[in-house]
Amino acid sequence: MPGHPDSLPSSRAYWLLKSEPDVFGYADLERQASEPWNGVRNYQARNFLRAMQPGDLCLYYHSQAQPSGVAGVACVLTSAVPDNLQFDESSAYHDPKSTPDNPRWSMVEVAAVAALPRFLSLDDLRKLPELSSMRLLQKGTRLSVMPVTADEFRVIVTAGGLDADSL
């Protein structure tokens, strides 16, 4: 039934990606055809990147901003591949212990789907009772990549002014 969480594709997973808007915000992603989601240097977040599949949808979250919050929706275009920055000695994300034969870090390619007509701040998210157990809202959660449930995804994009079933 439209509007019910079960109407979202069951084969699709949902994620939240954090980026600082002054470094690479949602508007920057909209200007690109696609962009590698690289530079992640946390093993749990890396494992989430490795679990992503083409077609999965992501909430694009502006972190370290005033206010922080969800700005749009992105789509995963590729399965995980070795992060190109880990081998680049001039990059802040270079990892000298990582080798092409044994890469430590992964990335996926993402593209913009739709900006939220209504930006949802962290305070807005906290006011939605359906999100009370959302990982993002738990104390001590600092991951830049994390899963969200289909229900959480639907609640957020709907509150932000988009039709979840049309994404």
Side-chain angles (χ1 to χ4, degrees), residues 98-122:
S98 190
T99 66
D101 291 338
N102 190 20
R104 288 183 176 201
W105 307 108
S106 298
M107 66 180 190
V108 296
E109 190 86 10
V110 298
V113 173
L116 292 185
R118 178 178 175 258
F119 178 85
L120 287 179
S121 71
L122 183 58

mmCIF file of all heavy atoms in Angstrom, residues 98-122:
data_model
loop_
_atom_site.group_PDB
_atom_site.id
_atom_site.type_symbol
_atom_site.label_atom_id
_atom_site.label_comp_id
_atom_site.label_asym_id
_atom_site.label_seq_id
_atom_site.Cartn_x
_atom_site.Cartn_y
_atom_site.Cartn_z
ATOM 1 N N SER A 98 48.579 0.636 3.968
ATOM 2 C CA SER A 98 47.659 0.049 3.004
ATOM 3 C C SER A 98 48.384 -0.144 1.674
ATOM 4 O O SER A 98 49.128 0.730 1.225
ATOM 5 C CB SER A 98 46.464 0.977 2.809
ATOM 6 O OG SER A 98 45.474 0.340 2.063
ATOM 7 N N THR A 99 48.185 -1.305 1.058
ATOM 8 C CA THR A 99 48.819 -1.591 -0.229
ATOM 9 C C THR A 99 47.752 -1.983 -1.250
ATOM 10 O O THR A 99 46.671 -2.440 -0.876
ATOM 11 C CB THR A 99 49.828 -2.752 -0.098
ATOM 12 O OG1 THR A 99 49.106 -3.952 0.219
ATOM 13 C CG2 THR A 99 50.873 -2.473 0.969
ATOM 14 N N PRO A 100 48.059 -1.832 -2.531
ATOM 15 C CA PRO A 100 47.088 -2.264 -3.547
ATOM 16 C C PRO A 100 46.706 -3.746 -3.418
ATOM 17 O O PRO A 100 45.581 -4.123 -3.725
ATOM 18 C CB PRO A 100 47.812 -1.984 -4.864
ATOM 19 C CG PRO A 100 48.733 -0.839 -4.536
ATOM 20 C CD PRO A 100 49.196 -1.127 -3.123
ATOM 21 N N ASP A 101 47.628 -4.571 -2.943
ATOM 22 C CA ASP A 101 47.334 -5.994 -2.748
ATOM 23 C C ASP A 101 46.498 -6.243 -1.498
ATOM 24 O O ASP A 101 45.819 -7.268 -1.396
ATOM 25 C CB ASP A 101 48.628 -6.807 -2.641
ATOM 26 C CG ASP A 101 49.370 -6.869 -3.950
ATOM 27 O OD1 ASP A 101 48.748 -6.667 -5.014
ATOM 28 O OD2 ASP A 101 50.596 -7.125 -3.916
ATOM 29 N N ASN A 102 46.576 -5.332 -0.540
ATOM 30 C CA ASN A 102 45.836 -5.474 0.714
ATOM 31 C C ASN A 102 45.321 -4.106 1.170
ATOM 32 O O ASN A 102 45.783 -3.567 2.178
ATOM 33 C CB ASN A 102 46.738 -6.105 1.778
ATOM 34 C CG ASN A 102 45.961 -6.491 3.011
ATOM 35 O OD1 ASN A 102 44.742 -6.635 2.977
ATOM 36 N ND2 ASN A 102 46.659 -6.631 4.133
ATOM 37 N N PRO A 103 44.339 -3.554 0.439
ATOM 38 C CA PRO A 103 43.840 -2.228 0.809
ATOM 39 C C PRO A 103 43.008 -2.294 2.093
ATOM 40 O O PRO A 103 42.253 -3.231 2.309
ATOM 41 C CB PRO A 103 42.978 -1.831 -0.386
ATOM 42 C CG PRO A 103 42.561 -3.132 -1.009
ATOM 43 C CD PRO A 103 43.688 -4.096 -0.740
ATOM 44 N N ARG A 104 43.180 -1.287 2.932
ATOM 45 C CA ARG A 104 42.427 -1.218 4.189
ATOM 46 C C ARG A 104 41.092 -0.503 4.038
ATOM 47 O O ARG A 104 40.181 -0.748 4.806
ATOM 48 C CB ARG A 104 43.231 -0.435 5.234
ATOM 49 C CG ARG A 104 44.409 -1.150 5.774
ATOM 50 C CD ARG A 104 45.053 -0.276 6.831
ATOM 51 N NE ARG A 104 46.144 -1.001 7.442
ATOM 52 C CZ ARG A 104 46.635 -0.722 8.619
ATOM 53 N NH1 ARG A 104 46.158 0.272 9.311
ATOM 54 N NH2 ARG A 104 47.618 -1.432 9.112
ATOM 55 N N TRP A 105 41.026 0.438 3.103
ATOM 56 C CA TRP A 105 39.900 1.365 3.050
ATOM 57 C C TRP A 105 39.134 1.231 1.758
ATOM 58 O O TRP A 105 39.694 0.901 0.720
ATOM 59 C CB TRP A 105 40.398 2.800 3.254
ATOM 60 C CG TRP A 105 41.212 2.899 4.495
ATOM 61 C CD1 TRP A 105 42.565 3.065 4.583
ATOM 62 C CD2 TRP A 105 40.747 2.761 5.835
ATOM 63 N NE1 TRP A 105 42.963 3.054 5.898
ATOM 64 C CE2 TRP A 105 41.864 2.874 6.692
ATOM 65 C CE3 TRP A 105 39.500 2.567 6.410
ATOM 66 C CZ2 TRP A 105 41.763 2.802 8.081
ATOM 67 C CZ3 TRP A 105 39.396 2.486 7.783
ATOM 68 C CH2 TRP A 105 40.515 2.610 8.607
ATOM 69 N N SER A 106 37.842 1.513 1.834
ATOM 70 C CA SER A 106 36.952 1.363 0.679
ATOM 71 C C SER A 106 36.183 2.648 0.431
ATOM 72 O O SER A 106 36.091 3.514 1.303
ATOM 73 C CB SER A 106 35.958 0.223 0.925
ATOM 74 O OG SER A 106 36.628 -0.998 1.091
ATOM 75 N N MET A 107 35.615 2.736 -0.771
ATOM 76 C CA MET A 107 34.759 3.857 -1.131
ATOM 77 C C MET A 107 33.675 3.358 -2.076
ATOM 78 O O MET A 107 33.795 2.283 -2.660
ATOM 79 C CB MET A 107 35.558 4.976 -1.807
ATOM 80 C CG MET A 107 36.124 4.596 -3.163
ATOM 81 S SD MET A 107 37.055 5.972 -3.865
ATOM 82 C CE MET A 107 37.325 5.348 -5.519
ATOM 83 N N VAL A 108 32.614 4.126 -2.197
ATOM 84 C CA VAL A 108 31.565 3.885 -3.184
ATOM 85 C C VAL A 108 31.388 5.181 -3.970
ATOM 86 O O VAL A 108 31.834 6.249 -3.547
ATOM 87 C CB VAL A 108 30.223 3.461 -2.541
ATOM 88 C CG1 VAL A 108 30.355 2.126 -1.813
ATOM 89 C CG2 VAL A 108 29.682 4.538 -1.622
ATOM 90 N N GLU A 109 30.735 5.090 -5.098
ATOM 91 C CA GLU A 109 30.380 6.272 -5.891
ATOM 92 C C GLU A 109 28.926 6.606 -5.585
ATOM 93 O O GLU A 109 28.080 5.706 -5.530
ATOM 94 C CB GLU A 109 30.568 5.951 -7.368
ATOM 95 C CG GLU A 109 30.479 7.132 -8.283
ATOM 96 C CD GLU A 109 31.812 7.871 -8.446
ATOM 97 O OE1 GLU A 109 32.863 7.360 -8.004
ATOM 98 O OE2 GLU A 109 31.789 8.969 -9.013
ATOM 99 N N VAL A 110 28.633 7.883 -5.365
ATOM 100 C CA VAL A 110 27.264 8.315 -5.070
ATOM 101 C C VAL A 110 26.866 9.460 -5.999
ATOM 102 O O VAL A 110 27.728 10.152 -6.558
ATOM 103 C CB VAL A 110 27.089 8.749 -3.599
ATOM 104 C CG1 VAL A 110 27.353 7.595 -2.644
ATOM 105 C CG2 VAL A 110 27.950 9.942 -3.248
ATOM 106 N N ALA A 111 25.557 9.641 -6.150
ATOM 107 C CA ALA A 111 25.013 10.738 -6.943
ATOM 108 C C ALA A 111 23.820 11.333 -6.208
ATOM 109 O O ALA A 111 23.128 10.640 -5.456
ATOM 110 C CB ALA A 111 24.580 10.240 -8.321
ATOM 111 N N ALA A 112 23.572 12.605 -6.456
ATOM 112 C CA ALA A 112 22.418 13.279 -5.858
ATOM 113 C C ALA A 112 21.130 12.743 -6.470
ATOM 114 O O ALA A 112 21.074 12.428 -7.654
ATOM 115 C CB ALA A 112 22.523 14.782 -6.088
ATOM 116 N N VAL A 113 20.102 12.613 -5.646
ATOM 117 C CA VAL A 113 18.767 12.217 -6.096
ATOM 118 C C VAL A 113 17.819 13.407 -5.983
ATOM 119 O O VAL A 113 17.190 13.812 -6.951
ATOM 120 C CB VAL A 113 18.227 11.018 -5.284
ATOM 121 C CG1 VAL A 113 16.785 10.723 -5.635
ATOM 122 C CG2 VAL A 113 19.103 9.796 -5.503
ATOM 123 N N ALA A 114 17.721 13.972 -4.778
ATOM 124 C CA ALA A 114 16.823 15.107 -4.560
ATOM 125 C C ALA A 114 17.203 15.820 -3.273
ATOM 126 O O ALA A 114 17.466 15.174 -2.255
ATOM 127 C CB ALA A 114 15.372 14.640 -4.477
ATOM 128 N N ALA A 115 17.200 17.151 -3.328
ATOM 129 C CA ALA A 115 17.367 17.949 -2.111
ATOM 130 C C ALA A 115 16.049 17.917 -1.347
ATOM 131 O O ALA A 115 14.972 17.852 -1.951
ATOM 132 C CB ALA A 115 17.731 19.384 -2.462
ATOM 133 N N LEU A 116 16.132 17.926 -0.038
ATOM 134 C CA LEU A 116 14.905 18.026 0.755
ATOM 135 C C LEU A 116 14.360 19.449 0.614
ATOM 136 O O LEU A 116 15.103 20.412 0.836
ATOM 137 C CB LEU A 116 15.165 17.736 2.233
ATOM 138 C CG LEU A 116 15.547 16.321 2.641
ATOM 139 C CD1 LEU A 116 15.632 16.222 4.162
ATOM 140 C CD2 LEU A 116 14.592 15.293 2.103
ATOM 141 N N PRO A 117 13.100 19.594 0.255
ATOM 142 C CA PRO A 117 12.516 20.936 0.214
ATOM 143 C C PRO A 117 12.589 21.636 1.573
ATOM 144 O O PRO A 117 12.707 22.856 1.641
ATOM 145 C CB PRO A 117 11.064 20.682 -0.192
ATOM 146 C CG PRO A 117 11.116 19.404 -0.967
ATOM 147 C CD PRO A 117 12.178 18.580 -0.270
ATOM 148 N N ARG A 118 12.538 20.852 2.640
ATOM 149 C CA ARG A 118 12.650 21.382 3.998
ATOM 150 C C ARG A 118 13.841 20.705 4.676
ATOM 151 O O ARG A 118 13.795 19.516 4.963
ATOM 152 C CB ARG A 118 11.377 21.107 4.791
ATOM 153 C CG ARG A 118 11.456 21.583 6.228
ATOM 154 C CD ARG A 118 10.140 21.343 6.987
ATOM 155 N NE ARG A 118 10.333 21.719 8.374
ATOM 156 C CZ ARG A 118 10.527 20.842 9.363
ATOM 157 N NH1 ARG A 118 10.539 19.543 9.119
ATOM 158 N NH2 ARG A 118 10.694 21.256 10.595
ATOM 159 N N PHE A 119 14.931 21.456 4.896
ATOM 160 C CA PHE A 119 16.094 20.948 5.617
ATOM 161 C C PHE A 119 15.646 20.494 6.996
ATOM 162 O O PHE A 119 14.902 21.204 7.675
ATOM 163 C CB PHE A 119 17.138 22.070 5.737
ATOM 164 C CG PHE A 119 18.380 21.695 6.494
ATOM 165 C CD1 PHE A 119 19.432 21.072 5.857
ATOM 166 C CD2 PHE A 119 18.493 21.980 7.848
ATOM 167 C CE1 PHE A 119 20.594 20.746 6.550
ATOM 168 C CE2 PHE A 119 19.641 21.654 8.552
ATOM 169 C CZ PHE A 119 20.695 21.036 7.900
ATOM 170 N N LEU A 120 16.066 19.300 7.411
ATOM 171 C CA LEU A 120 15.692 18.778 8.732
ATOM 172 C C LEU A 120 16.895 18.826 9.660
ATOM 173 O O LEU A 120 17.841 18.049 9.512
ATOM 174 C CB LEU A 120 15.188 17.342 8.629
ATOM 175 C CG LEU A 120 13.815 17.155 8.009
ATOM 176 C CD1 LEU A 120 13.460 15.689 7.940
ATOM 177 C CD2 LEU A 120 12.757 17.903 8.786
ATOM 178 N N SER A 121 16.856 19.742 10.613
ATOM 179 C CA SER A 121 17.959 19.880 11.561
ATOM 180 C C SER A 121 17.971 18.703 12.531
ATOM 181 O O SER A 121 16.979 17.969 12.658
ATOM 182 C CB SER A 121 17.818 21.188 12.344
ATOM 183 O OG SER A 121 16.734 21.097 13.252
ATOM 184 N N LEU A 122 19.058 18.561 13.225
ATOM 185 C CA LEU A 122 19.167 17.522 14.253
ATOM 186 C C LEU A 122 18.059 17.698 15.290
ATOM 187 O O LEU A 122 17.452 16.715 15.724
ATOM 188 C CB LEU A 122 20.553 17.575 14.898
ATOM 189 C CG LEU A 122 20.874 16.514 15.936
ATOM 190 C CD1 LEU A 122 20.737 15.104 15.372
ATOM 191 C CD2 LEU A 122 22.278 16.730 16.486
#
